[in-house]
C-alpha cells in the first residue's frame, strides 16, 4: 500500500512525465552526484547548470547562471489563491482556485519530459521543534535540489516523519520553458500547496523559502496564533556577557544579511547570527515571544559584500563546510576561476566575463555581476553562528526592529510608545525599491513589516493579527523603526551603516534593559544624543541633527500616502491603526 506522499508523487509524475524520478536522501554522496549532473547533463540556455569554481579560496564552490529573463522574483506573476479575492487582499494577485489549477495543469502537462523529477523531502525548522513543518518539493533541476539541501533540513528522515500523514506541505516546481507568458508562482494556502512553473530563480523556485515560509506560513500563523515574518534574528552580546535577542524586518536587499552577521565596531559588543531572512514567532509557554529561523542557509545579495561591509559573510563563503556554496549570476574572474562582483575587495581582475558569460571590462557601462546576483551558503559555515541556533524552542525576543530604505524624512531610530504604536510604525513603513524583484528600482512603496510581497492574506487582517498577538504576550518586545539610509544635501549617506549599526543596536538594548531615557517627539521616542555611542565616528554636527530631524511640513505628503495605502484595505483595516494615524496627524500639527 502506498502512502499519501507516494501517491501524490506518482500523480504528479503522471502529469509532468519525467524520464525518471529521484528521491533525494540528503546524503553527502548525493550532493556530489547532483552537482555532477548539473555540470555534465543539465543545461540552461547554452550553459551547464553548474560550473565548478576554483576551490583554493572559495572551497566547494560552484557558479550557476540562470536564464537571462529569470533573475529576480516576479511579483506580477505571483498569485495567492485564497478562497476569495478579499481574503487575499489588494496586496496580492488573486485567481479563482479552479481556474488557476486548470491553467497550471495545462502548463505542467509533460513539462518534465526528458528531465529528472527530484523529490525533495525537507523540514522547515528543527525536526524536534514544536513549530517545525514537514514539506516535500518536486523539481526538475539539480540547481534547485542542491539549493534546497543548503537552505533547508533535507533528507530521508523527513519521509519517515511524514509516514502515513497527508498534511505535509506540497511544492511543485518546473523550469518550464522560461517564457514569461507561461511563468506563474501560485499559492493555495488552504491546501498548503505551492505550484511554480517557468522560473528557476531563488524566491520563485526554492519553494520552502518565500512561498511556504512566508506566504503560506503567514496564513497558517493567522489561523493558529503565530507570525511568519521577513526578519533577521540576532543575539546582541554586551560587555557584561548578557545576550539580548532581537528580530529585524527590512525589505529585500536593504541589508538584512549584513545586519545578521554584523561585526561590531564597539569593543565588548558582539552579534550572534540566528537568521538573515525569515523568523517564525510563537508565543512560548512563559508568554514571551520566541523566534526560530525555519531555514539553515543564507541566500544573500553578492554585490557590495566585502571585508569592509560584511567580513563575517566573506569568512562564511570562504569556509569549507559540509555543503557546497553556490554563486548565482555573479561575474567570473576567468584566470583565477573565481566568482567576482562589484564591491569585492581588491582590484578588478584583468579577465572578467559578466553574469551572462560575456566578455566584460570596467570601461563598459554595464555591471559584471547582476545587481541581484546571490550566494547560497550553509549557515553552519558562519563564524558568528549563535549556540542557540538549533534550540528547537527558539530564542526569546526583547525587541523588534521594523525598517525601510528612506533617503529622506525617517529618523535613524524611533522607539514606539507601546505595541499598538509599534504596529502602526511597521504598518506605515515605506521603502525605496531594490533589484531583488523585477521592477523599477528606487521608487517609494509601502513595505509594512517588509512583507508587501510576502503576506499571504489581506494585509488589513494581518495588522489586526499583529495587534492581537500582544494581547497574549506577558512581556511584549519593544518595537523600533529604523532607517540607515538617510542622505545629506549632497546625496551622501549620513550614517556609515554596516558594522557601525552596532551603535544603534546598543541604544536599543540599553532601552530594553532600562539603562537610558529617550526624547518624546510627534512620531515616537528618539535617543538623547548623549546616550548614543558616537566616539570615533566622523559625522558633521548638522548632519547628526538631520539624522533625527522631523519636518512636520514634509510629513504632510507622507501622511497622505499612508492614508491612500491604508484606505485600500477598507473594513479589514483595524480601527486602532486609524486611531494611531489620526494621533500622528494631530501630533505633527
Ligand atoms: C530574498 C528576497 O531573496 O527578499 O530574500 O528577495
Ligand atoms: Mn528576503
Amino acid at each position: 500500500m502506498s502512502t499519501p506522499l507516494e501517491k501524490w508523487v506518482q500523480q504528479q509524475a503522471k502529469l509532468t512525465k519525467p524520464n525518471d524520478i529521484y528521491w533525494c536522501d540528503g546524503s553527502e554522496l548525493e550532493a556530489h552526484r547532483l552537482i555532477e549532473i548539473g555540470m555534465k547533463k543539465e543545461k540552461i540556455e547554452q550553459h551547464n547548470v553548474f560550473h565548478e569554481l576554483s576551490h583554493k579560496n572559495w572551497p566547494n564552490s560552484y557558479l550557476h547562471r540562470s536564464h537571462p529573463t529569470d533573475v529576480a522574483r516576479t511579483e506580477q506573476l505571483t498569485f495567492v489563491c485564497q478562497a476569495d479575492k478579499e481574503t487575499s487582499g489588494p496586496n496580492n494577485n488573486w485567481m479563482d482556485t479552479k481556474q488557476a489549477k486548470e491553467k497550471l495543469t495545462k502548463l505542467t502537462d509533460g513539462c518534465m519530459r526528458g528531465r529528472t523529477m527530484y523529490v525533495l523531502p525537507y523540514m522547515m525548522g528543527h525536526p524536534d521543534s514544536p513549530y517545525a513543518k514537514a514539506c516535500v518539493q518536486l523539481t526538475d533541476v539539480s540547481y534547485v535540489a542542491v539549493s534546497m539541501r543548503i537552505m533547508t533540513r533535507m533528507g530521508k528522515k523527513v519521509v519517515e516523519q511524514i509516514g502515513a500523514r497527508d498534511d505535509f506541505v506540497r511544492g511543485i516546481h518546473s523550469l518550464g520553458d522560461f517564457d514569461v507568458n507561461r511563468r506563474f508562482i501560485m499559492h493555495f494556502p488552504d491546501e498548503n500547496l505551492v505550484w511554480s512553473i517557468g522560473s528557476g530563480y531563488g524566491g520563485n523556485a526554492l519553494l520552502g523559502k518565500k512561498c511556504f515560509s512566508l506566504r503560506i506560513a503567514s496564513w497558517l500563523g493567522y489561523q493558529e496564533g503565530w507570525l511568519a515574518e521577513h526578519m533577521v534574528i540576532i543575539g546582541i552580546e554586551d560587555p557584561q556577557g548578557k545576550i539580548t535577542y532581537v528580530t529585524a524586518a527590512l525589505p529585500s536587499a536593504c541589508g538584512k544579511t549584513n545586519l545578521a552577521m554584523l561585526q561590531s565596531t564597539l569593543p565588548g559588543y558582539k552579534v550572534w547570527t540566528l537568521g538573515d531572512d525569515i523568523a517564525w514567532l510563537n508565543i512560548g509557554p512563559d508568554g514571551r515571544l520566541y523566534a526560530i529561523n525555519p531555514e539553515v542557509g543564507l541566500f544573500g545579495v553578492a554585490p557590495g559584500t566585502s571585508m569592509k561591509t560584511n567580513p563575517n559573510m566573506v569568512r562564511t563563503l570562504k569556509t569549507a563546510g559540509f555543503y557546497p556554496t553556490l554563486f548565482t549570476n555573479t561575474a567570473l574572474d576567468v584566470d583565477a576561476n573565481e566568482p567576482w562582483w562589484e564591491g569585492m575587495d581588491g582590484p578588478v581582475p584583468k579577465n572578467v566575463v559578466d553574469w551572462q558569460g560575456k566578455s566584460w571590462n570596467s570601461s563598459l557601462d554595464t555591471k559584471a555581476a547582476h545587481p541581484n546576483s546571490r550566494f547560497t551558503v550553509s549557515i553552519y559555515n558562519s563564524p558568528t553562528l549563535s549556540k542557540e541556533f538549533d534550540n528547537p524552542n527558539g530564542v526569546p525576543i526583547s525587541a523588534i526592529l521594523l525598517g525601510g530604505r528612506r533617503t529622506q524624512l525617517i529618523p535613524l531610530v524611533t522607539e514606539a510608545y507601546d505595541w499598538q504604536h509599534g504596529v502602526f510604525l511597521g504598518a506605515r513603513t515605506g521603502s525605496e525599491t531594490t533589484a531583488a524583484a523585477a521592477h523599477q528600482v528606487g521608487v517609494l512603496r509601502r513595505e509594512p513589516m517588509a512583507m508587501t510581497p510576502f503576506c499571504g492574506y489581506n494585509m488589513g487582517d494581518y495588522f489586526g493579527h499583529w495587534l492581537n498577538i500582544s494581547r497574549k504576550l506577558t512581556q511584549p518586545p519593544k518595537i523600533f523603526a529604523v532607517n540607515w539610509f538617510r542622505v545629506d544635501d549632497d546625496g551622501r549617506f549620513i550614517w556609515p551603516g554596516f558594522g557601525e549599526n552596532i551603535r544603534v543596536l546598543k541604544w536599543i538594548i540599553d532601552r530594553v534593559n532600562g539603562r537610558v531615557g529617550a526624547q518624546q517627539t510627534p512620531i515616537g521616542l528618539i535617543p538623547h544624543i548623549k546616550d548614543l555611542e558616537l566616539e570615533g565616528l566622523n559625522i558633521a554636527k548638522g548632519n547628526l541633527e538631520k539624522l533625527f530631524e522631523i519636518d512636520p511640513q514634509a510629513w504632510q505628503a507622507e501622511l497622505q500616502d499612508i492614508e491612500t495605502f491604508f484606505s485600500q484595505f477598507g473594513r479589514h483595516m483595524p480601527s486602532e491603526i486609524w486611531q494611531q494615524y489620526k494621533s500622528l496627524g494631530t501630533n505633527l500639527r
Side-chain angles (χ1 to χ4, degrees):
M1 264 272 289
S2 45
T3 62
L5 169 59
E6 286 160 350
K7 267 194 217 140
W8 177 69
V9 172
Q10 285 313 325
Q11 263 168 18
Q12 300 314 312
K14 218 166 132 192
L15 176 66
T16 56
K17 307 180 179 57
N19 266 17
D20 43 18
I21 302 179
Y22 184 135
W23 286 73
C24 290
D25 62 13
S27 66
E28 191 167 1
L29 193 70
E30 173 182 277
H32 293 293
R33 197 178 304 149
L34 293 174
I35 289 203
E36 281 286 305
I37 294 173
M39 287 199 301
K40 300 203 173 124
K41 248 180 78 184
E42 293 178 355
K43 279 195 189 304
I44 289 181
E45 293 269 275
Q46 75 277 29
H47 300 293
N48 290 325
V49 164
F50 290 120
H51 162 81
E52 185 167 15
L53 294 163
S54 162
H55 294 193
K56 187 167 147 239
N57 295 314
W58 306 89
N60 211 356
S61 62
Y62 299 84
L63 175 68
H64 169 74
R65 292 190 180 114
S66 71
H67 189 277
T69 66
D70 184 35
V71 291
R73 284 183 292 100
T74 40
E75 293 175 7
Q76 72 284 13
L77 307 175
T78 301
F79 287 72
V80 176
C81 305
Q82 292 278 12
D84 53 67
K85 191 168 165 51
E86 197 163 336
T87 308
S88 285
N91 45 300
N92 283 303
N93 297 316
W94 178 84
M95 207 183 280
D96 169 70
T97 308
K98 191 161 162 273
Q99 193 195 339
K101 285 195 174 161
E102 275 168 16
K103 201 178 199 43
L104 289 169
T105 303
K106 267 197 207 124
L107 293 173
T108 307
D109 192 353
C111 67
M112 295 190 187
R113 231 177 236 124
R115 309 184 71 91
T116 297
M117 176 199 268
Y118 301 96
V119 182
L120 318 174
Y122 66 97
M123 280 315 276
M124 295 314 289
H126 190 282
D128 297 338
S129 172
Y131 314 126
K133 306 276 180 207
C135 316
V136 180
Q137 174 171 345
L138 311 176
T139 184
D140 56 1
V141 64
S142 55
Y143 170 72
V144 168
V146 175
S147 300
M148 288 293 284
R149 284 175 56 96
I150 304 169
M151 296 303 298
T152 72
R153 294 170 169 95
M154 204 181 105
K156 61 173 178 240
K157 274 220 176 86
V158 183
V159 177
E160 286 156 30
Q161 198 149 349
I162 292 173
R165 297 178 68 136
D166 199 16
D167 61 354
F168 59 93
V169 179
R170 292 151 160 85
I172 307 168
H173 170 254
S174 168
L175 291 179
D177 60 8
F178 293 112
D179 182 334
V180 286
N181 298 312
R182 288 196 285 274
R183 180 176 297 164
F184 289 100
I185 297 89
M186 298 235 191
H187 304 71
F188 301 91
D190 285 332
E191 297 170 52
N192 280 338
L193 169 67
V194 186
W195 198 335
S196 162
I197 182 152
S199 168
Y201 173 76
N204 293 338
L206 313 182
L207 305 185
K209 195 173 182 54
K210 305 299 186 181
C211 300
F212 172 57
S213 290
L214 290 176
R215 295 194 191 99
I216 302 259
S218 60
W219 176 243
L220 286 176
Y222 179 59
Q223 290 163 317
E224 297 170 1
W226 54 283
L227 292 165
E229 296 296 329
H230 192 204
M231 287 179 177
V232 166
I233 313 169
I234 51 178
I236 307 163
E237 183 170 339
D238 67 16
Q240 290 73 45
K242 178 172 177 169
I243 301 180
T244 305
Y245 293 97
V246 162
T247 63
L250 290 165
S252 307
C254 288
K256 279 200 300 304
T257 309
N258 294 337
L259 181 63
M261 311 197 78
L262 181 146
Q263 173 142 311
S264 165
T265 55
L266 288 182
Y269 287 85
K270 207 168 164 29
V271 167
W272 296 104
T273 309
L274 289 111
D276 81 325
D277 197 39
I278 298 176
W280 285 355
L281 305 173
N282 280 274
I283 302 170
D286 59 358
R288 298 186 68 186
L289 195 64
Y290 282 78
I292 64 159
N293 173 7
E295 303 188 288
V296 290
L298 308 163
F299 178 65
V301 177
T305 305
S306 69
M307 284 305 282
K308 184 165 161 277
T309 59
N310 193 343
N312 289 321
M313 192 68 240
V314 176
R315 289 179 193 120
T316 303
L317 294 171
K318 294 194 169 183
T319 295
F322 176 76
Y323 295 98
T325 294
L326 306 182
F327 294 94
T328 301
N329 294 337
T330 61
L332 175 70
D333 169 349
V334 178
D335 298 328
N337 191 26
E338 289 184 354
W340 189 80
W341 52 77
E342 279 78 7
M344 189 185 263
D345 303 287
V348 179
K350 284 212 179 65
N351 190 1
V352 173
V353 293
D354 72 5
W355 63 276
Q356 297 191 66
K358 296 186 184 134
S359 167
W360 179 90
N361 67 65
S362 51
S363 68
L364 297 171
D365 63 357
T366 56
K367 301 273 187 217
H370 188 279
N372 191 37
S373 55
R374 300 277 180 147
F375 46 75
T376 315
V377 64
S378 169
I379 201 167
Y380 293 102
N381 284 14
S382 161
T384 55
L385 188 67
S386 162
K387 60 181 187 324
E388 296 297 325
F389 178 73
D390 277 319
N391 185 335
N393 299 318
V395 289
I397 297 303
S398 301
I400 296 177
L401 282 54
L402 303 170
R405 176 187 288 267
R406 293 298 296 267
T407 46
Q408 308 290 337
L409 198 78
I410 305 297
L412 180 62
V413 56
T414 315
E415 180 185 324
Y417 293 119
D418 52 28
W419 182 274
Q420 264 75 13
H421 183 228
V423 176
F424 171 68
L425 290 188
R428 66 119 175 91
T429 302
S431 191
E432 288 152 33
T433 50
T434 69
H439 49 206
Q440 200 186 337
V441 170
V443 180
L444 180 67
R445 76 168 182 182
R446 293 292 133 196
E447 279 274 6
M449 289 78 171
M451 282 288 277
T452 295
F454 308 122
C455 179
Y457 61 103
N458 191 309
M459 230 172 188
D461 295 330
Y462 167 79
F463 299 141
H465 183 46
W466 262 79
L467 293 170
N468 280 333
I469 287 281
S470 78
R471 303 192 226 281
K472 297 182 212 129
L473 288 172
T474 49
Q475 294 175 54
K478 274 182 178 288
I479 299 182
F480 299 82
V482 295
N483 174 32
W484 323 131
F485 299 96
R486 206 151 164 173
V487 298
D488 65 15
D489 296 336
D490 300 321
R492 281 183 302 239
F493 290 117
I494 302 175
W495 184 249
F498 305 108
E500 304 293 5
N501 287 337
I502 190 67
R503 298 170 192 265
V504 179
L505 298 179
K506 174 184 181 299
W507 183 76
I508 286 171
I509 62 172
D510 283 348
R511 286 291 297 157
V512 164
N513 294 310
R515 294 179 188 139
V516 293
Q519 299 185 56
Q520 196 154 337
T521 76
I523 65 168
L525 299 165
I526 64 168
H528 293 291
I529 295 293
K530 69 170 177 45
D531 293 329
L532 274 179
E533 180 57 74
L534 296 173
E535 211 188 297
L537 280 191
N538 191 11
I539 303 179
K541 181 146 188 307
N543 269 349
L544 196 58
E545 275 150 19
K546 204 169 158 62
L547 271 179
F548 291 100
E549 182 186 72
I550 295 157
D551 175 355
Q553 212 52 45
W555 267 90
Q556 294 312 310
E558 182 79 359
L559 283 173
Q560 204 52 78
D561 199 51
I562 296 170
E563 183 177 339
T564 309
F565 177 71
F566 285 174
S567 300
Q568 304 171 74
F569 303 104
R571 66 180 180 85
H572 293 267
M573 202 63 194
S575 57
E576 285 103 316
I577 301 284
W578 278 122
Q579 268 154 24
Q580 293 284 347
Y581 172 82
K582 286 201 190 96
S583 311
L584 173 62
T586 312
N587 294 348
L588 284 163
R589 275 195 295 278

